Amino acid sequence: MSKQLPLVETDTCCSPLAREPLTEPQSVELSKLFKAMADPVRLRLLSLIASHTGGEACVCDLTDAFDLTGPTISHHLKVLRESGLITGERRGTWVYYRVHPEVLARLSAVLVPGDAVVPA
Amino acid sequence: MSKQLPLVETDTCCSPLAREPLTEPQSVELSKLFKAMADPVRLRLLSLIASHTGGEACVCDLTDAFDLTGPTISHHLKVLRESGLITGERRGTWVYYRVHPEVLARLSAVLVPGDAVVPA
């Protein structure tokens, strides 16, 4: 349950896209993260985990918000985990999920509009 | 060429996802924007447009960066345009593209990690 993609690329990536163009490898790496977020259920899961008390949520805290089966929720959590957006740690019966705040922070920084795009 | 989705939802959306969970309509709306960015070519196009001098780029400024046909580039520009991330305006022979800085700013703000997720 602890499989994670290495975060090396996102650790060094990137300047705000309004400041300088992304390189091809940067765009490939970032597109994987945006793809993981390109689904309403995964976005809500991400927000439920990130905003949960202590920044950590058990799958038992997440299922009530959705009219979906456990396996479907688990599938979406797996996609988020494998993208590197969240981490999952088994403690006893449950897996506890946390976001990687540094990954969110880098995505946020990449999207900050630069001077070049601020309307006059 | 000026077809744009209304930006109403993204204009009012959203608190940082680390502060409070997204609602279902918010997550549906945001996922469309992330889906438009879930492709390396579209991310590079977005960055080339956003970082171009004056915040505006002609398709003639964009094609050299890719080993892709004109129609393929046009398709990706159309997806970006229809998502509301960029706008296209025909002036004479060319269509000139700009990002919507307010949409980028809102996405950036949604992803800011909150206190809840800052590691101790």
Side-chain angles (χ1 to χ4, degrees):
Chain A
M1 293 297 272
S2 64
K3 181 184 174 192
Q4 299 289 333
L5 289 187
L7 295 176
V8 178
E9 294 282 0
T10 46
D11 277 356
T12 57
C13 175
C14 309
S15 297
L17 52 75
R19 189 177 302 157
E20 60 180 350
L22 297 169
T23 65
E24 195 168 344
Q26 286 172 341
S27 66
V28 169
E29 205 57 37
L30 285 174
S31 68
K32 292 178 192 167
L33 292 166
F34 289 127
K35 191 167 185 180
M37 295 197 294
D39 178 279
V41 173
R42 290 200 291 274
L43 269 181
R44 285 184 69 208
L45 281 169
L46 192 66
S47 73
L48 283 163
I49 295 165
S51 64
H52 203 263
T53 310
E56 183 175 79
C58 167
V59 71
C60 56
D61 300 317
L62 302 171
T63 45
D64 285 354
F66 301 92
D67 188 18
L68 295 170
T69 65
T72 300
I73 304 263
S74 291
H75 161 75
H76 286 301
L77 287 168
K78 185 181 174 194
V79 174
L80 287 172
R81 218 170 56 236
E82 291 186 351
S83 75
L85 280 163
I86 65 171
T87 184
E89 186 192 358
R90 180 174 290 279
R91 294 203 299 272
T93 309
W94 299 105
V95 179
Y96 291 83
Y97 296 96
R98 288 186 165 269
V99 302
H100 278 295
E102 69 279 15
V103 178
L104 280 191
R106 281 172 205 286
L107 288 178
S108 175
V110 164
L111 296 174
V112 167
D115 292 344
V117 291
V118 172
Chain B
M1 291 297 274
S2 63
K3 180 185 173 191
Q4 300 288 334
L5 290 186
L7 296 176
V8 178
E9 293 282 2
T10 46
D11 277 357
T12 55
C13 175
C14 310
S15 296
L17 53 74
R19 188 177 303 156
E20 61 179 348
L22 297 169
T23 65
E24 194 168 345
Q26 286 172 341
S27 67
V28 168
E29 205 57 38
L30 285 174
S31 69
K32 293 178 192 167
L33 292 166
F34 289 126
K35 191 168 186 181
M37 295 198 294
D39 178 278
V41 173
R42 289 200 291 274
L43 269 181
R44 285 183 69 209
L45 282 169
L46 192 64
S47 73
L48 283 163
I49 295 165
S51 65
H52 203 264
T53 310
E56 182 175 79
C58 168
V59 72
C60 57
D61 300 318
L62 301 171
T63 46
D64 285 354
F66 300 92
D67 188 19
L68 295 169
T69 64
T72 300
I73 304 264
S74 291
H75 161 74
H76 286 301
L77 287 168
K78 186 181 174 194
V79 174
L80 287 172
R81 218 171 54 237
E82 291 186 352
S83 75
L85 280 164
I86 65 171
T87 182
E89 185 193 357
R90 181 175 290 279
R91 294 205 297 274
T93 309
W94 299 105
V95 179
Y96 292 84
Y97 296 96
R98 288 186 165 271
V99 302
H100 278 294
E102 69 280 14
V103 178
L104 281 191
R106 279 172 208 284
L107 289 178
S108 175
V110 164
L111 296 174
V112 168
D115 292 345
V117 291
V118 172

